[in-house]
């Protein structure tokens, strides 16, 4: 028979019932530790910081993630909207961390007049950040890696949830309140290590406000997409909470211009939701003159291992049959030339020239004529 530790037993009980913020009594780096967040008892007109205890590692070491809460006026918890910002669910995708930090630096000076609440989790996956890669490491069964963005809303330990599943379970239930503490969600990513793109997002246009949210980003590309099961975005959308996944340039590189663009986007959303004061006299109209809206992503896969010679670059327009990359062997001979499958634009290409068989030498974004792709396709 397995027994839960007293803390984990408490987490499971708290997740299943509405209750006050639970302080564990611990203080980490001068910040109070909680196991459950209830917005109703967070101080009004204040930006608060907490560490959420999300479980334990093998050997009993506690695992924590940082949480910001900017709660506006007392009445705004009922009258205003609640926005969630999350970043670094993949440990190598770090641009969004700085966006969340900057937003809460700003909100510190605005919180006294804030009409609503903003929750921020700048580093969802500390294990991935520590290991300098995208996934969460779980020690059981000799160790394995899990993509945390495929296991939401998570699984409690009483049902076999480990590592990543427990992390997701505690965030979903104990920060987002099993959807009651969030009205709109924005999850910030970059492509994984090796891939290069500009600014783009996944958006499921079938849910009201998602299209508006995506267009407020004013990205280089909007990918109409039904989302991945188990992702933060799709879990929110499945629960009727508008959400998008924002992708910001290269992994493991803080790109100042993209951070600026997404920071400005979050401010447009804060204005659009009437959370921050605004002097605007009309509804903001997004500038989409440089935005390509696509239903379909199509990878071109290498038959061979070798080295990629890129012939076109992210955001370059391409025509069907146009060469986009050569695959060269160690002697420099061209083993194959990969071509665009359709007219569109090169959306993503490998920054790392080494490639193995089946690796992507470039991904094309376009609009398929197949009605089955109206809500999005990935090939």
């Amino acid at each position: 028979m397995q027994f839960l530790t007293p803390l984990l037993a408490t987490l499971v009980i708290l997740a299943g019932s509405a209750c006050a913020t639970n302080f564990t009594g611990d203080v980490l780096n001068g910040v109070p530790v909680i196991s459950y967040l209830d917005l109703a008892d967070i101080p009004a007109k204040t930006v608060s910081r907490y560490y959420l205890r999300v479980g334990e590692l093998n050997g009993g070491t506690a695992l924590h993630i940082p949480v910001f809460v900017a709660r506006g006026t007392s009445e705004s918890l009922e009258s205003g909207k609640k926005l969630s910002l999350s970043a670094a669910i993949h440990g190598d995708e770090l641009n969004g961390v700085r966006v969340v930090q900057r937003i809460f630096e700003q909100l510190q000076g605005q919180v006294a007049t804030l009409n609503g609440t903003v929750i921020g989790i700048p580093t969802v996956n500390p294990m991935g950040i520590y290991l300098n890669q995208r996934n969460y490491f779980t020690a059981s069964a000799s160790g394995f890696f899990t993509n945390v963005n495929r296991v939401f809303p998570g699984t409690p330990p009483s049902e076999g949830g480990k590592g990543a599943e427990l992390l997701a379970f505690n965030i979903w239930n104990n920060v987002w309140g099993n959807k009651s503490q969030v009205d709109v969600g924005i999850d910030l990513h970059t492509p994984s290590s090796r891939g290069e793109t500009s600014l783009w997002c996944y958006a499921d246009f079938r849910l009201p406000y998602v299209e508006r949210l995506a267009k407020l980003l004013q990205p280089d590309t909007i990918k109409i997409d039904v989302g991945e099961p188990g992702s933060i975005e799709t879990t929110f959308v499945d629960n009727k909470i508008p959400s998008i996944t924002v992708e910001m340039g290269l992994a493991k590189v803080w790109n100042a211009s993209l951070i600026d663009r997404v920071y400005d986007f979050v401010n447009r959303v804060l204005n659009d939701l009437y959370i921050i004061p605004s002097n605007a006299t009309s509804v903001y109209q997004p500038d989409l003159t440089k935005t390509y809206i696509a239903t379909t992503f199509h990878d071109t896969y290498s038959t061979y291992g070798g080295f990629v010679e890129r012939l076109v670059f992210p955001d370059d327009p391409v025509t069907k049959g146009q060469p986009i990359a050569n695959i060269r062997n160690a002697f420099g001979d061209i083993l194959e030339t990969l071509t665009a499958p359709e007219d569109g634009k090169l959306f993503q290409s490998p920054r790392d020239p080494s490639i193995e068989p089946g690796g992507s030498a470039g991904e094309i974004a376009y609009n398929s004529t197949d009605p089955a792709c109206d809500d999005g396709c990935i090939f």
Side-chain angles (χ1 to χ4, degrees), residues 336-358:
E336 67 178 330
T337 298
L338 297 166
T339 61
E342 298 287 347
D343 294 349
K345 79 169 185 176
L346 187 73
F347 158 72
Q348 179 171 265
S349 69
R351 185 64 174 258
D352 180 352
S354 63
I355 194 168
E356 60 187 345

Side-chain angles (χ1 to χ4, degrees), residues 68-299:
F68 288 107
V69 183
R71 186 179 163 194
T73 61
S74 297
E75 62 275 12
S76 71
L77 191 59
E78 299 299 328
S79 64
K81 296 293 186 181
K82 299 179 285 291
L83 175 67
S84 169
L85 304 174
S86 52
I89 192 170
H90 296 134
D92 58 348
E93 300 181 5
L94 303 179
N95 272 327
V97 175
R98 186 61 189 135
V99 174
V100 178
Q101 293 170 345
R102 285 182 58 188
I103 287 295
F104 281 88
E105 290 169 4
Q106 169 193 316
L107 292 175
Q108 189 70 56
Q110 297 174 311
V111 70
T113 57
L114 216 60
N115 179 38
T117 306
V118 185
I119 299 173
I121 307 178
T123 54
V124 171
N125 181 5
M127 180 68 77
I129 295 173
Y130 171 69
L131 294 173
N132 199 31
Q133 53 84 52
R134 69 187 268 109
N135 294 314
Y136 185 105
F137 177 76
T138 299
S140 63
S142 299
F144 57 92
F145 289 98
T146 301
N147 183 346
V148 188
N149 209 35
R150 297 295 182 271
V151 299
F152 273 83
T155 307
S158 59
E159 298 176 13
K162 310 176 191 66
E165 295 88 357
L166 179 58
L167 173 68
F169 178 84
N170 284 324
I171 293 172
W172 178 252
N173 291 283
N174 299 340
V175 176
W176 295 330
N178 193 12
K179 77 185 180 181
S180 65
Q181 301 196 129
V182 179
D183 294 315
V184 174
I186 298 171
D187 192 31
L188 303 176
H189 292 241
T190 75
S192 298
S193 297
R194 194 175 181 270
E196 180 180 12
T197 65
S198 50
L199 179 62
W200 62 281
C201 68
Y202 287 114
D204 188 345
F205 280 14
R206 298 173 301 173
L207 184 68
Y209 196 66
V210 169
E211 181 176 351
R212 170 74 175 167
L213 196 60
K215 290 179 176 179
L216 283 171
L217 178 61
Q218 299 176 175
D220 300 293
T221 304
I222 294 174
K223 172 61 169 72
I224 298 173
D225 198 81
V226 297
E228 291 282 356
S231 68
I232 288 176
E233 173 204 348
T234 300
T235 304
F236 274 140
V237 169
D238 286 347
N239 285 275
K240 308 305 179 187
I241 297 170
S243 180
I244 62 172
T245 298
V246 177
E247 304 275 359
M248 308 168 58
L250 287 168
K252 295 194 285 192
V253 176
W254 269 4
N255 183 314
S257 65
L258 294 186
I259 289 170
D260 286 346
R261 288 178 67 183
V262 177
Y263 171 79
D264 291 342
F265 156 64
V266 175
N267 271 288
R268 288 192 288 271
V269 175
L270 290 169
N271 271 294
D272 207 55
L273 298 176
Y274 302 102
I275 293 176
I276 59 175
S278 173
N279 296 321
T281 57
S282 60
V283 175
Y284 182 81
Q285 298 301 318
D287 179 2
L288 301 177
T289 55
K290 298 180 180 179
T291 299
Y292 185 78
I293 301 176
T295 61
T296 306
F297 282 169
H298 196 137
D299 258 312

